[in-house]
Amino acid sequence: MLTFIGLGLFDENDVSVKGLERIRRADHVFLECYTSVLTGTTIERMEEFFGKEVKTLGRDDVEGHPEDFLGLAKDSDVAFLTAGDPMVSTTHIDLRIRAAGMGVRTEIIHGASIVSAVCGLTGLQNYRFGKSCSLPFPYGKWAPKTPIEVIEHNMAENLHTLVYLDIQPDRYMRVPEAVALLEEMAAERGLSVPVYVGVARAGSAEPMVAAGTAGDLATVDFGGPLHILVVPADLHHMEREYLETFAGL
């Protein structure tokens, strides 16, 4: 049995009771560490809380060569842990398909997701979000234009855009960096983005939410990771009031 278990948003305490019970009775526990991370905890704290050894998996372990831990799940109980909700990531959808192809039974225990948490923290209505996108750090002169293309399409449809910011082993993208990158791309396309909404440390006791123009957010200290960005469409009056009340718009 392979059980996908979402750990929630910030630290080891965010896991559901159902998820915790399944982890504690698993024969093997693996934590996927590249699509997202829990920045409010450590592996050592998780192991103490779960009462289990936690083995970490990188990108190649999951996308390139998952056969080792999938093979274990044929004859034993394997817990596959992810930050947030496991099935938000297409990587994990692909992994579940691979497991099925190997004859491995699977189950999902969902966790709190940034997708819904952003709505609660910003007041932006969930049914008004269009396609999301990821914004990577530029690599030399290479910088993909897909993010601004997605934003432009969503704005034309009057839909909000959730922008996932790059996470690398030695750094993470901050909201002001992301806004600067998008502003450069937008200028090249003659696109104007009137408002951005930045969120940091969703799920923690002290999340940070700030809304405003690119110039406004350039001066905001969002603090530690993780950061995520929203490019809103035209704001409903209730969305605007929420952002004015809780995000300084």
Side-chain angles (χ1 to χ4, degrees), residues 47-66:
E47 289 182 327
E48 182 178 0
F49 185 63
F50 299 153
K52 289 284 184 177
E53 178 185 7
V54 177
K55 300 174 184 176
T56 59
L57 299 171
R59 180 171 194 157
D60 189 58
D61 299 316
V62 178
E63 293 188 346
H65 304 284

Side-chain angles (χ1 to χ4, degrees), residues 6-184:
L7 297 180
L9 295 168
F10 188 68
D11 62 25
E12 72 276 13
N13 295 302
D14 287 343
V15 68
S16 68
V17 173
K18 184 186 293 185
L20 181 59
E21 289 174 348
R22 188 63 59 88
I23 292 168
R24 286 178 172 170
R25 72 172 189 248
D27 299 308
H28 307 277
V29 179
F30 295 94
L31 173 66
E32 184 269 281
C33 291
Y34 85 90
T35 59
S36 188
V37 292
L38 295 182
T39 57
T41 189
T42 63
I43 298 295
E44 292 74 22
R45 278 172 52 184
M46 282 190 253
E47 289 182 327
E48 182 178 0
F49 185 63
F50 299 153
K52 289 284 184 177
E53 178 185 7
V54 177
K55 300 174 184 176
T56 59
L57 299 171
R59 180 171 194 157
D60 189 58
D61 299 316
V62 178
E63 293 188 346
H65 304 284
E67 296 83 10
D68 289 346
F69 68 86
L70 289 181
L72 288 173
K74 286 186 174 182
D75 302 308
S76 59
D77 193 354
V78 174
F80 180 87
L81 313 183
T82 71
D85 184 275
M87 291 304 151
V88 170
S89 170
T90 54
T91 292
H92 305 146
I93 290 172
D94 176 70
L95 186 62
R96 193 179 188 206
I97 292 171
R98 291 200 202 192
M102 293 175 61
V104 174
R105 270 189 68 213
T106 59
E107 189 174 333
I108 303 167
I109 299 176
H110 295 283
S113 169
I114 191 63
V115 174
S116 55
V118 158
C119 297
L121 289 169
T122 66
L124 298 173
Q125 297 162 0
N126 67 333
Y127 61 84
R128 296 196 61 213
F129 278 79
K131 182 180 178 181
S132 61
C133 61
S134 297
L135 181 62
F137 284 108
Y139 184 76
K141 294 184 178 180
W142 173 84
K145 305 303 181 186
T146 302
I148 201 65
E149 292 169 358
V150 170
I151 290 167
E152 186 173 28
H153 175 78
N154 284 344
M155 288 178 72
E157 299 293 327
N158 203 24
L159 297 172
H160 307 318
T161 307
L162 184 62
V163 184
Y164 294 94
L165 307 187
D166 201 358
I167 303 169
Q168 296 187 0
D170 58 342
R171 60 178 177 166
Y172 64 94
M173 187 177 291
R174 298 170 181 267
V175 167
E177 292 176 286
V179 170
L181 288 170
L182 291 176
E183 281 289 288
E184 185 177 335

